[in-house]
């Protein structure tokens, strides 16, 4: 939140259930500790961890501020929840990202600030302003500062869907790009990865917007090394790292797996020495400052704030 406003949250578990019976979880209760009347309120909550609890807590906080007469409520959501369910890709599948957008609007949010949406069309699910910030400027800065041979590197997308993101970074660094195409010959055959581009004797940098179980990027790293790459780095905006992700990264041949802190990574870093973090708090802070003062946010699409 902007200024000195405080919010306290508690989780009501209710009385103990009798033997053999279940009690329904009654969810988070939220109290705003100070007056927010007429204030410009910013609520920061990322879509990670206990995602449904966090989402519900965010909705209740937005509504609590709204009915406490705040002038504007902005939800700052570094990692947008359910962003991958953005289309109906099979029968009877939900479009959960649209549902989350509706819930935020109905709760009373006036503005959304988020980062690297899985599909930028999610902005169209809202009838309120959405600022989709990019981690790209911070990623470019990290590459230039931490990879000595970056001028001889090649930027690689682990799937065809990330080609636009990869070409943008490659153009800014003035280097080549490649992509990995997953090919399925028959319905019951395992995918075959086809590398499009020359990585021989180069440092390969895999770039993607998020990694969950890390199966794709670990297979991609093996493919790049077998094609002659000297080193392989992975740079991801949202490091979800669920299930076997950490053990896969530890066993893979990455020099480093670099993620932003849109999702807290302290616990993961204790279990995996290859994980490094790019801090994007300054980008979000500058976006909040510019929004509060009525300034343009577009500068942040291509620059890291000083």
């Amino acid at each position: 939140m902007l200024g000195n406003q405080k919010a306290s949250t508690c989780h009501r578990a209710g009385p103990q259930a009798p033997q053999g019976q279940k009690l329904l979880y009654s969810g988070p209760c939220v109290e705003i500790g100070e007056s927010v009347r007429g204030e410009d309120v910013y609520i920061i909550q990322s879509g990670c961890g206990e995602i449904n609890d966090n989402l519900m807590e965010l909705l209740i906080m937005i509504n609590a501020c709204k009915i406490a007469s705040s002038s504007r409520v902005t939800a700052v959501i570094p990692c947008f929840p359910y962003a991958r369910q953005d289309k109906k890709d099979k029968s009877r599948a939900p479009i959960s990202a649209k549902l989350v957008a509706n819930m935020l609007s109905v709760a009373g949010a006036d503005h959304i600030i988020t980062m690297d949406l899985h599909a930028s069309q999610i902005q169209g699910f809202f009838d309120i302003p959405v600022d989709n910030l990019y981690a790209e400027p911070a990623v470019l800065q990290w590459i230039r500062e931490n990879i000595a041979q970056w001028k001889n590197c090649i930027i690689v997308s682990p799937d065809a869907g990330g080609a636009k993101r990869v070409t943008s970074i490659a153009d800014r660094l003035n280097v080549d790009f490649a992509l990995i195409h997953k090919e399925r010959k028959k319905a019951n055959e395992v995918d075959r990865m086809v590398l499009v581009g020359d990585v021989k004797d180069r440092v390969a940098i895999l770039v993607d917007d998020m990694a969950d179980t890390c199966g794709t990027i670990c297979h991609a790293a093996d493919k790049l090394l077998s094609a002659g790459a000297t080193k392989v780095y992975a740079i991801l905006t949202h490091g979800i790292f669920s299930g076997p992700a950490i053990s896969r990264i530890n066993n893979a041949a990455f020099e480093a797996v670099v993620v932003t802190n849109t999702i807290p990574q302290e616990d993961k870093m204790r279990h995996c020495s290859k994980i490094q973090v790019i801090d994007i708090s300054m980008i979000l802070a500058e976006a909040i400052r510019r929004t509060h003062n009525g300034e343009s946010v577009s500068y942040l699409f291509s620059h890291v704030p000083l």
Side-chain angles (χ1 to χ4, degrees), residues 55-294:
L55 177 58
M56 200 66 213
E57 193 173 275
L58 173 63
L59 296 170
I60 294 171
M61 287 181 75
I62 291 169
N63 192 247
C65 291
K66 203 65 185 172
I67 62 177
S69 303
S70 58
S71 66
R72 179 173 64 170
V73 179
T74 300
V76 183
I77 312 172
C79 180
F80 194 83
Y82 293 98
R84 283 188 290 186
Q85 295 180 8
D86 61 338
K87 59 183 177 293
K88 195 170 178 180
D89 53 359
K90 52 182 178 284
S91 299
R92 298 173 296 282
I95 307 176
S96 305
K98 169 67 173 168
L99 178 62
V100 172
N102 288 344
M103 289 163 69
L104 288 164
S105 299
V106 170
D110 299 298
H111 182 204
I112 305 292
I113 297 175
T114 186
M115 179 167 275
D116 272 355
L117 284 170
H118 188 62
S120 54
Q121 296 92 314
I122 291 173
Q123 293 170 86
F125 292 168
F126 290 90
D127 293 323
I128 56 175
V130 177
D131 284 322
N132 180 29
L133 304 173
Y134 300 114
E136 184 181 301
V139 166
L140 291 167
Q141 186 181 48
W142 189 92
I143 290 171
R144 290 189 180 110
E145 290 176 358
N146 294 277
I147 300 177
Q149 314 97 320
W150 68 267
K151 290 183 179 178
N152 187 39
C153 76
I154 184 163
I155 313 295
V156 185
S157 173
D159 55 46
K164 188 177 177 184
R165 184 181 302 106
V166 162
T167 51
S168 174
I169 292 173
D171 287 346
R172 295 280 296 277
L173 290 172
N174 196 26
V175 297
D176 292 334
F177 72 92
L179 62 88
I180 291 172
H181 171 61
K182 282 187 279 193
E183 197 175 77
R184 188 187 290 264
K185 288 198 170 181
K186 292 180 185 174
N188 59 351
E189 271 190 13
V190 180
D191 288 354
R192 186 169 72 95
M193 285 187 156
V194 180
L195 176 64
V196 182
D198 181 22
V199 299
K200 190 171 175 58
D201 300 326
R202 292 188 183 184
V203 174
I205 304 173
L206 279 162
V207 176
D208 208 353
D209 69 320
M210 68 170 63
D212 188 357
T213 57
C214 295
T216 301
I217 63 163
C218 289
H219 285 310
D222 293 340
K223 184 73 182 174
L224 290 168
L225 287 170
S226 64
T230 55
K231 293 179 182 177
V232 179
Y233 292 84
I235 302 182
L236 317 154
T237 305
H238 308 298
I240 300 167
F241 300 145
S242 65
I246 297 299
S247 63
R248 282 177 175 172
I249 292 171
N250 282 326
N251 295 329
F254 291 112
E255 291 293 312
V257 175
V258 185
V259 292
T260 69
N261 56 353
T262 55
I263 294 172
Q265 300 293 345
E266 289 79 8
D267 186 50
K268 305 290 194 303
M269 290 172 74
R270 280 195 289 271
H271 296 97
C272 181
S273 59
K274 292 180 184 178
I275 294 176
Q276 297 183 32
V277 170
I278 298 172
D279 184 21
I280 48 87
S281 59
M282 283 301 295
I283 297 174
L284 293 174
E286 182 65 10
I288 291 171
R289 189 195 68 78
R290 285 171 177 262
T291 303
H292 180 63
N293 294 329

Side-chain angles (χ1 to χ4, degrees), residues 1-7 32-36 39-41:
M1 286 191 171
L2 194 69
N4 297 317
Q5 285 84 34
K6 296 174 186 170
I32 309 299
E34 294 182 21
S35 172
V36 293
E39 297 282 2
D40 188 12
V41 178

